[in-house]
Amino acid sequence: MTQTTDSAAAGPAQDDGRPVDRTPSRLRIHRAWIVAVVTFVTIIGGAAFNSLPGLLIDPLHTEFGWSRGEIGLAVSIDMALYGLTAPFAAALMDRFGIRRVVVVALSTVAAGALASVWMTASWQLMIYWGLLVGLGTGSMALAFSATVTNRWFVARRGLVTGILTAAGASGQLVFLPLCAWIVEEHGWRPASVTVALAALVVVPFVWLLMRDHPADVGLAPYGGAYVEKPAPARGAAARTVRVLFDAARTGPFWLLAGTFAICGASTNGLIRTHFVPSAHDHGMPITAAASLLAVIGVFDIIGTVFSGWLTDRFDARRLLAVYYALRGISLLFLPMLMAPTVHPPMVFFIVFYGLDWVATVPPTLALCREQYGEDSAIVFGWVLASHQVGAALVAFLGGVARDVFGSYDMVWYASGALCATAALMALVIRRHAQTPEPVVAAR
């Protein structure tokens, strides 16, 4: 079947009262791909903001004498707001447009990162990196790529979704080693300025090239028919809250939210925030530890794609149980692997953990879809919020534990036990009876 025709790619038919672009589609790049590239670059820039907090713990502790618990609290505010803002981000984009929301979000993040250069008290860190950066990055969470994909693509949605999901890992791969080198060679302030500049550079790129809807430029979505741009949605935020209250009355929601909270605790809250300072405690250079963390970003792409393939073929509950069990076992061994230099067992841990990093997403999303049908996307947004709340708690409590015990060993062991609990929780999620879909004969 032909993917696009001149009229499908260029706009509506002439009897709709609009001119038809007769330029052959094979000679043009559909505007949807330009929007996808802008989205990809924006998400990569967003990875810079998420890469830096774990690198700041030791420098801020050394310069200001702030406890790791105080610094961890700022990171936890950032992560919690990221998660709590995410369910409403789609509603904001429906109401005010993708371009405006993303530009304001990038500007907010840049303001928070730049303001931190002049901070002198820990409460300022909580305002700048916790509040401002958390709200800004939360407004560019999964809703951003999902909204772009749904509006601009009919064909190739799966491919585009995979590419945009990989953008976060690609950005981590780029920015973690760079920011680590800047922190080690020039201090944390130039690294914070670098993150702010990364946000500001993307702003004109978004404003000039991003469009909210294909109809804004007289086009059909890629691979689809022309549709009029819908009126700004009102009441979407109220629906988001209503779906939360409805889902909260069911047991599977709390099991999914609980397991995903432990997922966030054992990834963003634990490894992303505390791996670098923990490795540095054992004499490993910050740049080496950050590079190991960046490698996780490479393997989480492979792990997520493979997990999606498995989710189509096996019980999602059992997959989650296996993922969490293996993650917990690996965390129990991590304290024994810490050393001043990178050695093969540590590399094995990094590869293994990278494969398991976000492998939990496809089966969790599949269970949301199975349990909540047309509301599953919103329910998953709230489950994602629990992921970030779990990450926020461990980002804070991990710093407190380091202050109290003098090492991170207890944090690794406790997180391993939490993952074992998540494995058991996944197994007790009840199956949802589904009505079989009618079989349509192929033509």
Side-chain angles (χ1 to χ4, degrees), residues 254-397:
W254 293 106
L255 290 169
L256 288 167
T259 55
F260 221 42
I262 293 173
C263 178
S266 56
T267 52
N268 291 351
L270 182 67
I271 297 294
R272 180 170 285 172
T273 304
H274 295 294
F275 178 81
V276 171
S278 178
H280 191 55
D281 283 347
H282 290 78
M284 184 180 291
I286 290 178
T287 50
S291 296
L292 288 175
L293 200 55
V295 171
I296 287 178
V298 177
F299 286 94
D300 78 0
I301 300 172
I302 300 171
T304 305
V305 172
F306 185 55
S307 177
W309 183 85
L310 291 174
T311 301
D312 290 334
R313 290 160 176 80
F314 299 99
D315 187 342
R317 301 171 304 160
R318 295 181 180 179
L319 287 177
L320 283 179
V322 171
Y323 295 157
Y324 285 121
L326 292 176
R327 184 182 297 181
I329 292 170
S330 67
L331 286 172
L332 295 178
F333 283 98
L334 184 56
M336 295 179 279
L337 303 179
M338 290 293 183
T341 58
V342 178
H343 51 90
M346 176 59 82
V347 174
F348 177 80
F349 170 84
I350 292 297
V351 172
F352 182 85
Y353 213 82
L355 292 172
D356 199 326
W357 183 269
V358 287
T360 55
V361 172
T364 300
L365 184 54
L367 288 170
C368 286
R369 191 179 300 117
E370 175 186 313
Q371 296 285 339
Y372 301 104
E374 62 181 14
D375 289 332
S376 60
I378 297 176
V379 172
F380 181 72
W382 285 112
V383 171
L384 175 65
S386 74
H387 181 281
Q388 292 304 113
V389 170
L393 287 173
V394 171
F396 169 60
L397 295 176

Side-chain angles (χ1 to χ4, degrees), residues 28-99:
R28 305 177 64 216
I29 297 175
H30 193 284
R31 184 63 177 266
W33 293 109
I34 297 176
V35 172
V37 169
V38 174
T39 306
F40 185 88
V41 172
T42 304
I43 294 173
I44 285 182
F49 324 138
N50 296 324
S51 300
L52 193 55
L55 303 177
L56 296 181
I57 292 178
D58 283 338
L60 293 178
H61 173 72
T62 300
E63 178 172 338
F64 297 107
W66 300 337
S67 71
R68 289 174 174 82
E70 288 179 290
I71 301 169
L73 179 58
V75 178
S76 73
I77 294 172
D78 171 18
M79 291 182 175
L81 286 176
Y82 177 97
L84 294 172
T85 304
F88 297 96
L92 289 172
M93 291 178 183
D94 287 341
R95 179 68 180 86
F96 300 105
I98 300 173
R99 185 168 60 162

Side-chain angles (χ1 to χ4, degrees), residues 238-259:
R239 182 191 174 206
T240 301
V241 176
R242 185 174 63 253
V243 168
L244 170 63
F245 282 111
D246 291 341
R249 297 190 182 99
T250 66
F253 172 79
W254 293 106
L255 290 169
L256 288 167
T259 55

